[in-house]
Amino acid sequence: MGKIHSVEKLTDCKYINLYGVKATSARNTPVSYYVASRAEKVEELKLNTKKNTPDGVIIYSLYGEKKDKVVLVRQYRYTLDDYIYEFPAGLVEKDEDFHEAAARELYEETGLTLHPVSVPEMYEKPFFTTIGMTDESCATVYGYADGEISKDAQEDSEEIEIVLADREEVKRILKEEKVAIMCAYMLMHFLKDEKPFGFLGEEKK
């Protein structure tokens, strides 16, 4: 296993920072690595804490009487200078349970109310997003959404369109549009599930 010798904070930004890592590989080769992280301090990096607490939350919610539409956002991202389809998502605030964060973020981005379903921990625990670049991890909350679509609670810096997609629209999106990979994989389940959240198995009581 490699060995880390030092970590230096290289930026001082509000939501994400870059850290420089000096290390040697398992074959004793010098390594210079860069890690983007939501951590505000070196001590809070997951390579130091060894704890996988969720930085963010992703919301997979179904909409409609038949629960046959999935709630998506089409959001402008500066990394692409283009729009990309994603699930509603956001950061978990300090001392906030990620289930609470999911309800808050869904409302802020779409105006909809989330009614979470209870699922086994292995489906909702935080998983890492792009481990080659960042130590960020996100939990997933599943549920049903209702209410009226609204952009009133969106931040001025956000460019988000709310999409309620049925299976035909999901097929088109996967074939023709830019889609975040975590969203894409779950949309594949959505297409094949015979009942809502079928891939999760029996909901935990």
Side-chain angles (χ1 to χ4, degrees):
M1 190 166 75
K3 183 177 181 180
I4 295 173
H5 302 293
S6 65
V7 183
E8 179 185 5
K9 187 179 182 183
L10 302 177
T11 61
D12 190 20
C13 302
K14 185 175 182 180
Y15 295 112
I16 192 166
N17 281 290
L18 186 66
Y19 293 83
V21 177
K22 297 294 184 183
T24 47
S25 72
R27 297 182 179 180
N28 208 34
T29 301
V31 175
S32 292
Y33 207 88
Y34 297 93
V35 177
S37 179
R38 303 291 185 184
E40 296 179 0
K41 302 175 183 178
V42 170
E43 296 78 18
E44 296 172 356
L45 289 166
K46 291 186 173 75
L47 60 85
N48 280 322
T49 66
K50 307 301 182 183
K51 295 179 180 178
N52 184 17
T53 52
D55 301 285
V57 63
I58 299 166
I59 306 107
Y60 178 7
S61 58
L62 302 179
Y63 185 88
E65 287 186 16
K66 297 181 180 179
K67 300 178 177 62
D68 58 351
K69 295 181 175 66
V70 60
V71 181
L72 303 174
V73 293
R74 181 175 178 265
Q75 184 165 2
Y76 175 81
R77 293 294 192 180
Y78 291 100
T79 46
L80 300 175
D81 188 24
D82 203 351
Y83 288 85
I84 184 169
Y85 283 82
E86 307 172 63
F87 282 127
L91 297 180
V92 179
E93 297 177 355
K94 283 189 177 181
D95 301 320
E96 184 181 34
D97 179 82
F98 69 82
H99 300 90
E100 296 172 356
R104 174 180 55 76
E105 287 290 347
L106 186 70
Y107 177 77
E108 289 176 359
E109 292 192 357
T110 70
L112 299 175
T113 299
L114 179 67
H115 303 277
V117 297
S118 182
V119 300
E121 182 182 359
M122 66 178 179
Y123 292 116
E124 65 176 12
K125 76 173 193 177
F127 290 103
F128 294 96
T129 54
T130 311
I131 197 60
M133 295 189 296
T134 176
D135 67 353
E136 180 187 63
S137 65
C138 290
T140 306
V141 173
Y142 307 85
Y144 302 111
D146 61 22
E148 298 296 325
I149 287 175
S150 172
K151 295 185 178 183
D152 290 348
Q154 290 182 9
E155 297 179 10
D156 291 340
S157 60
E158 295 177 320
E159 294 183 47
I160 298 175
E161 299 173 5
I162 301 116
V163 178
L164 302 177
D166 61 14
R167 283 176 171 77
E168 289 305 310
E169 178 62 3
V170 165
K171 288 179 184 178
R172 186 199 69 78
I173 289 169
L174 289 174
K175 289 178 182 178
E176 301 177 8
E177 303 287 353
K178 295 180 175 69
V179 186
I181 190 167
M182 293 174 287
C183 177
Y185 284 145
M186 290 191 187
L187 290 180
M188 295 174 197
H189 283 295
F190 174 74
L191 289 178
K192 297 298 182 180
D193 282 347
E194 294 183 1
K195 62 178 182 178
F197 301 123
F199 78 100
L200 295 173
E202 292 297 321
E203 294 175 10
K204 185 172 64 177
K205 303 301 183 184

